[in-house]
Amino acid sequence: MSAPAEAPPAPAAPTTPRRRREGPSRRRALGLRVLSVGGLLLLWWAVARAQVWPPVVLPPPGAVWAQAVATSTEGYSGHTLGEHLLTSLRRILVGSAWGALGGVLLGLLIGLVPAVRAMLGPLVTFVRTLPPLAYLSLLVIWFGIGEEPKIWLLVVASLPPVAVATADAVRGVDPDHLNAARSLGARPWQQALWVVLPHSLPEISTGVRIAVGVAYTSVVAAETVNGVPGIGGMIREAQRFNHTDVVILGLIVIGLSGLLIDRLLVTLDRTVAPWRGRT
């Protein structure tokens, strides 16, 4: 007798395209975000409505929205809300850019040159632990009350995170890659440019994101001295006159613009370092 014929293999289950699988997950995440924001606004409105605290302490959301409309059209402290925001963003951009550039160069030196690491490593850690207000007064003494102390404060605040992230990434480069580059005749600056820097880009990108966040948290401190126009200066002026609704508006504007900038940095990270997380 002949052996029974084998049954044909079962057809493979159809695979769902990745985009279709990710679609519901993204919609769910978006829905959860909207739900959390809506719940927070509802809680804020309920507490303000119940007058647990007087309006000068916790104004209702409607009052903050009215101030947003008023400051956008009529202005506050002689400038509109858009002018305050653009001035602060310019300061953050300039300070973070110079801080990131200096941090990358310093981090490369610390990571590649042991003597520089021994001399400057503790100094970078020391500066990183200082709160911005600790050296703002010194910067005002050195540079006056114009734009210079504000920019320098943001530079000093944003440089250490990038330097630390870059130095750690440089020390994590596989020595075999450097030896291969040397065997091909690459000079030290070529090794740093074509081997070390690409390997360190994901960590540098993370350091830049942290640095921009530090700059955002420092801009209010930077603008406490002659900071109008500027969101921090607007908040400072509103605090002097107990305009709590303007203070809350400034905090919301800083937070929303910070979220937008962080999302742009995440997109830039995926563009310049698409190999992040890959072996």
Side-chain angles (χ1 to χ4, degrees):
M1 296 179 61
S2 60
E6 296 181 358
T15 58
T16 305
R18 186 174 181 179
R19 290 184 178 177
R20 294 183 180 178
R21 291 200 304 267
E22 291 180 351
S25 177
R26 291 182 178 178
R27 288 195 296 268
R28 184 178 176 219
L30 179 60
L32 290 175
R33 294 191 186 104
V34 172
L35 182 63
S36 64
V37 173
L40 180 61
L41 289 175
L42 181 61
L43 177 63
W44 178 11
W45 175 85
V47 173
R49 179 83 177 191
Q51 294 185 351
V52 178
W53 295 285
V56 70
V57 177
L58 183 66
V64 177
W65 174 254
Q67 279 292 351
V69 175
T71 55
S72 299
T73 55
E74 302 171 8
Y76 189 87
S77 295
H79 301 273
T80 64
L81 181 62
E83 292 172 345
H84 286 298
L85 177 60
L86 289 177
T87 302
S88 294
L89 289 179
R90 179 185 58 80
R91 291 166 178 159
I92 292 171
L93 176 62
V94 174
S96 300
W98 282 110
L101 178 60
V104 170
L105 297 177
L106 185 59
L108 288 174
L109 288 175
I110 293 175
L112 293 173
V113 184
V116 176
R117 185 185 315 149
M119 289 188 298
L120 299 182
L123 179 61
V124 172
T125 303
F126 174 79
V127 175
R128 186 166 58 93
T129 59
L130 293 177
L133 283 175
Y135 46 85
L136 175 60
S137 300
L138 182 62
L139 294 175
V140 171
I141 294 174
W142 286 351
F143 301 104
I145 61 173
E147 283 293 298
E148 289 82 0
K150 303 175 184 60
I151 300 300
W152 274 108
L153 185 139
L154 298 179
V155 171
V156 176
S158 58
L159 185 147
V162 181
V164 171
T166 304
D168 290 342
V170 169
R171 290 197 295 269
V173 176
D174 191 344
D176 292 338
H177 296 166
L178 295 176
N179 294 332
R182 291 192 196 98
S183 65
L184 294 175
R187 298 181 178 180
W189 67 269
Q190 292 174 322
Q191 299 172 29
L193 182 61
W194 301 113
V195 178
V196 175
L197 191 58
H199 176 275
S200 307
L201 273 180
E203 287 76 12
I204 292 175
S205 177
T206 301
V208 170
R209 288 181 62 192
I210 297 174
V212 173
V214 172
Y216 262 90
T217 59
S218 305
V219 70
V220 176
E223 293 176 344
T224 55
V225 179
N226 193 25
V228 176
I231 290 293
M234 185 187 76
I235 292 175
R236 178 66 174 175
E237 290 295 313
Q239 177 264 330
R240 291 175 55 192
F241 300 103
N242 288 334
H243 294 166
T244 313
D245 45 5
V246 179
V247 173
I248 295 177
L249 172 63
L251 296 177
I252 292 174
V253 169
I254 291 176
L256 292 178
S257 59
L259 286 175
L260 177 60
I261 297 298
D262 186 73
R263 179 53 54 185
L264 293 176
L265 290 175
V266 171
T267 303
L268 180 63
D269 176 31
R270 293 173 180 172
T271 303
V272 302
W275 56 86
R276 174 189 287 272
R278 301 179 184 178
T279 56

